[in-house]
């Protein structure tokens, strides 16, 4: 971390300050606390949590996520007792940090967290809607809904017009087009909306309630908690739970934002969650002691800090300092802000907490029930009660999924019995499994397909006992599927290759035991059919949906991958790619004949043209590998005999390898330096030629008209790669596509290289 604030930190702190100032006042208004409490919490969150927290760019302060909780505490215990509860919650956070349980807080189901935030957002929006309409909110969300018809019948046009102006500016500000839009977006939308509403209300002389910041001399400080002990403990637990989870989730989100940021290219350490929890605890102790709202990490302000280019915790701390200066020197200006404008701002924030993205996520993961129940429970019963109910529903859903097992049977036309088990195999499913298996006729061929990730001991014993009995009566049993975890010892049926590692060259026990086939037999076709059958049975159900999408939409690969036909190179394995990712060309020696030299073979040139002009790939990679047989042939065979020499004995392979002669000449030339691999020289001549061949084929690739044109446009990149088969290690050639020159140095790809680049 820099010892002093940088220019980027100062600029980012101002951007965050301009967002935090109106939001802090709005959240204080929504809780029913003194308005200064919001400013105190914002200043303390910036300075204390920013200094001692574990996420340098996380901005802390009063958050909408604690608004409902704080409002309920103020109604039940009064403001000064609420401040004492905030102090105790900070102490609890320090204790949790000391026992290092921060990571455990992330184990809460995302559906519960999203549902909690959505429920809080709905509650906030309902309460602030009354102020927007010119009225006063009720004590609960249900009462606010019941009182809404009467409030709509008694509108206050002045307050409604100011609120409407605030909402309009807030929503339209980020959408101003053109150069003007780029300029005005430097001012945060929240500040612009409140400033516009304040200016209109002041110049028009509108009569409506405004911010009233009393003297700091009369600022209320905490007192000893008064009330039932269990109620106080529940309140402390609620503040601790909600504030800690929101802060830790925000810290994780900030890590992702920093990792995706292009500029400035400054290394920001990943969040230390236990230290961050301690920083939040210290901030809550100080904020509560000074009469401020509870403090938590805030994702919106943190995202603004990252986007504005903050590079250290100084940006967060400076934003807290600007809050202090504003609270001391800008009181006359703050007193001009209409309360309706702040209410409209907070209402929009509450509505935005019901995130469409979160809804799609929980729907995709089939957790909509947990989300909906948590949301409804938070709105109807309160935050802590809602989280508890949501957690109970989440546990119930998990148990239901664990216990839900579907077992079906089917007889194929060739008489094979297929028993399909969908779901987890636990002791709860053993009676149905045994009943189904015992109905299979003795002496038949049976395939048992397990589509689940877990099998407990009871299910394993039931399946194994039946299998042994069925085989003893002359039947055959094949157990296949995705189940990769067993409580008992593995059997031969379980040793065979799994669908998620189809590239592995297994020699399964049943294959090894197969007797040799006489000449003219179908050994090869039998193995092929077996492999296809395993794909249809195990892998096809997993990829069918994705392949159906590709069939509808067509292929849109981002990369052309040219590599050798060597059987040891599996492109999907070494690139971690799937269907539709790569447009692949494989040939002997990963050669790219230059234009006009293809002889009778235009296949590579046609593939390059199609990939570049039709598929519009963004990257072309040529990948060589260790121990290449084509390079060995180039070294050991005299290939310089002209093709038209009578009796030369040219074969298709020899004619094809003629395109590799430039690589051999390049390696022997004194005008080209030898290629290096991760800082070392090649181990032998074959490896040297393999590396040189990648460099030379990139030169050939640049000769193609389509490639040359896209390179000139700056829309295509060329890369060279070398894969060492024995080490299972990939090396990437320095990119010289934009300059037309290639540095003949292959650098290691992997975690080690990443750590070296960070050092």
């Amino acid at each position: 971390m820099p010892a002093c604030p940088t220019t980027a930190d100062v600029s980012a702190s101002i951007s965050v300050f301009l967002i935090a100032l109106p939001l802090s006042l709005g959240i204080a208004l929504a809780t029913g606390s003194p308005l200064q409490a919001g400013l105190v919490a914002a200043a303390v969150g910036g300075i204390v949590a920013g200094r001692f927290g574990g996420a340098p760019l996380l901005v802390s302060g009063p958050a909408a996520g604690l608004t409902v909780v704080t409002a309920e505490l103020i109604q039940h215990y009064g403001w000064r007792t609420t401040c004492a509860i905030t102090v105790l919650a900070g102490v609890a956070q320090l204790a949790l940090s000391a026992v290092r349980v921060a990571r455990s807080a992330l184990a809460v189901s995302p559906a519960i967290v999203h549902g909690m935030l959505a429920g809080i957002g709905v509650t906030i929006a309902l309460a602030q809607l009354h102020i927007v309409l010119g009225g006063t909110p009720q004590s609960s969300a249900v009462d606010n809904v019941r009182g809404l018809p009467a409030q709509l019948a008694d509108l206050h046009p002045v307050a409604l017009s100011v609120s409407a102006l605030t909402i309009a500016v807030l929503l339209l500000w980020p959408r101003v087009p053109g150069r003007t839009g780029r300029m005005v977006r430097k001012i945060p939308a929240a500040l612009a909306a409140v400033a516009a509403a304040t200016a209109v209300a002041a110049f028009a002389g509108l009569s409506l309630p405004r911010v009233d910041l009393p003297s700091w001399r009369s600022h209320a400080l905490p007192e000893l908690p008064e009330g039932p002990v269990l109620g106080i403990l529940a309140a402390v637990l609620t503040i601790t739970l909600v504030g800690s989870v929101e802060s830790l989730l925000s810290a994780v989100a900030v890590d992702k934002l920093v990792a995706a940021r292009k500029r400035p290219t400054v290394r920001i350490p990943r969040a230390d969650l236990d230290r961050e929890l301690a920083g939040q605890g210290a901030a809550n102790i100080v904020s509560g002691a000074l009469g401020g709202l509870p403090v938590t990490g805030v994702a919106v302000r943190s995202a603004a800090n990252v986007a504005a280019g903050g590079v250290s915790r100084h940006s967060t701390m400076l934003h807290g300092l600007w809050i202090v200066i504003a609270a001391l020197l800008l009181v006359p200006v703050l007193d001009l802000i209409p309360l309706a404008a702040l209410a409209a701002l907070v209402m929009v924030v509450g509505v935005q907490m019901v995130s469409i993205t979160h809804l799609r996520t929980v729907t995709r993961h089939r957790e909509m029930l947990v989300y909906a129940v948590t949301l409804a429970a938070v709105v109807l019963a309160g935050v802590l009660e809602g989280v508890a109910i949501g957690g109970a529903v989440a546990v119930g859903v998990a148990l239901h999924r664990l216990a839900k097992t579907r077992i079906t049977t089917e007889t194929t036309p060739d008489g094979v019995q297929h028993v399909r088990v969908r779901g987890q195999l636990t002791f709860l499913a053993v009676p149905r499994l045994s009943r189904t298996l015992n109905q299979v006729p003795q002496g038949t061929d049976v395939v048992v397909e397990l589509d689940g990730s877990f099998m407990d001991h009871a299910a394993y014993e039931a399946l194994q006992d039946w299998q042994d009995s069925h085989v003893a009566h002359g039947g055959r049993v094949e157990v296949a599927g995705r189940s990769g975890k067993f409580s008992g010892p593995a059997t031969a049926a379980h040793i065979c290759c799994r669908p998620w590692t189809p590239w592995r060259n297994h020699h399964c026990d049943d294959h090894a035991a197969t007797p040799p086939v006489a000449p003219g037999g179908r050994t090869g076709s039998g193995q092929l059919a077996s492999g296809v059958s395993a794909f249809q049975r195990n892998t096809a159900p997993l990829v069918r949906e994705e392949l159906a999408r590709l069939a509808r939409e067509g292929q849109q690969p981002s990369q052309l991958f040219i590599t050798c036909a060597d059987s040891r190179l599996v492109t999907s394995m070494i690139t971690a790619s799937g269907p539709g990712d790569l447009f692949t060309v494989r040939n002997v020696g990963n050669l790219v004949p230059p234009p006009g030299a293809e002889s009778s073979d235009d296949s590579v040139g046609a593939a390059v043209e199609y990939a570049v002009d039709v598929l519009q790939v963004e990257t072309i990679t040529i990948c060589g590998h260790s121990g290449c047989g084509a390079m060995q042939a180039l070294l050991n065979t005299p290939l310089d005999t002209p093709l038209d020499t009578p009796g030369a004995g040219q074969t298709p392979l020899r004619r094809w390898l003629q395109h590799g002669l430039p690589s051999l000449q390049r390696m022997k030339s004194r005008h080209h330096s030898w290629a290096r691999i991760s800082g070392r020289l090649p181990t032998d001549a074959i490896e040297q030629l393999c590396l040189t061949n990648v460099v030379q084929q990139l030169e050939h690739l640049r000769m193609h008209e389509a490639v040359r044109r896209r390179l000139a446009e700056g829309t295509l990149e060329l890369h060279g790669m070398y894969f060492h088969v024995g080490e299972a290690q990939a090396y990437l050639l320095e990119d010289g596509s934009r300059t037309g020159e290639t540095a003949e140095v292959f650098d290691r790809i992997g975690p080690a290289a990443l750590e070296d680049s960070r050092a």
Side-chain angles (χ1 to χ4, degrees), residues 17-27 190-191 194 337 342 345-346:
F17 158 72
L18 295 177
I19 296 174
L21 183 63
L23 282 176
S24 300
L25 293 172
I27 292 172
L191 178 66
V194 173
I337 300 176
L342 294 179
L345 172 63
V346 177

Side-chain angles (χ1 to χ4, degrees), residues 476 508-517 522-523 526-527 530:
R476 294 181 58 188
C508 299
D509 290 355
D510 54 347
H511 292 170
T514 302
V517 178
R522 301 179 59 192
T523 303
Q527 291 179 351
S530 176

Side-chain angles (χ1 to χ4, degrees), residues 118-354:
I120 292 172
V122 170
T123 305
I124 292 173
L126 289 174
Q128 299 310 298
L129 180 58
H130 283 268
I131 301 178
V132 166
L133 299 176
T136 303
Q138 304 300 314
S139 59
S140 68
V142 176
D143 292 337
N144 282 321
V145 172
R146 291 175 179 172
L148 195 55
Q151 187 64 63
L152 291 172
D154 185 23
L155 296 176
H156 295 258
V158 175
L160 184 59
S161 61
V162 171
S163 300
L165 174 63
T166 305
I167 295 173
V169 174
L170 190 63
L171 298 180
L172 297 177
W173 194 258
R175 295 174 174 81
V176 178
R179 183 177 180 182
T180 303
R182 290 193 296 271
M183 295 178 62
V184 301
R185 278 194 290 273
K186 295 181 180 179
I187 302 175
L191 178 66
V194 173
T198 302
V200 169
F203 286 116
L206 301 180
S207 177
L208 72 171
R210 301 176 187 273
V211 168
D212 182 16
L213 290 175
S215 171
W216 286 99
R217 296 178 181 177
S218 60
H219 181 61
L221 298 177
E223 64 180 4
L224 292 177
E226 295 182 0
V229 175
L230 292 179
I232 297 295
L233 291 178
V236 172
L237 176 62
T238 304
I239 294 288
T240 303
L241 174 65
V242 177
S244 299
V245 170
E246 186 170 356
S247 297
L248 296 175
L249 291 176
S250 298
V252 173
V254 169
D255 276 347
K256 295 179 181 179
L257 293 175
V258 171
R261 186 172 65 175
K262 303 297 183 182
R263 296 176 182 172
T265 55
V266 177
R267 181 187 175 189
I268 308 297
R270 292 181 61 84
D272 182 338
L273 297 185
D274 289 302
R275 178 179 173 181
E276 181 57 40
L277 191 57
Q280 296 295 327
N284 274 311
I285 292 174
V286 176
S287 180
L290 296 179
L293 289 170
V295 171
T296 182
V298 189
V300 175
R301 277 163 258 180
S302 303
N305 190 24
V306 175
V311 296
S312 72
R313 61 179 73 247
H314 290 307
S315 61
T316 301
M317 297 169 64
L318 282 175
H319 120 271
L321 178 61
W322 307 142
I323 293 286
V324 172
I325 294 175
L328 296 177
L329 303 180
L330 297 182
V331 173
V333 177
L334 299 179
D335 284 345
L336 297 176
I337 300 176
L339 295 182
L342 294 179
L345 172 63
V346 177
M347 185 183 72
V348 172
V349 172
V351 172
Q352 292 174 342
M353 292 175 70
V354 186

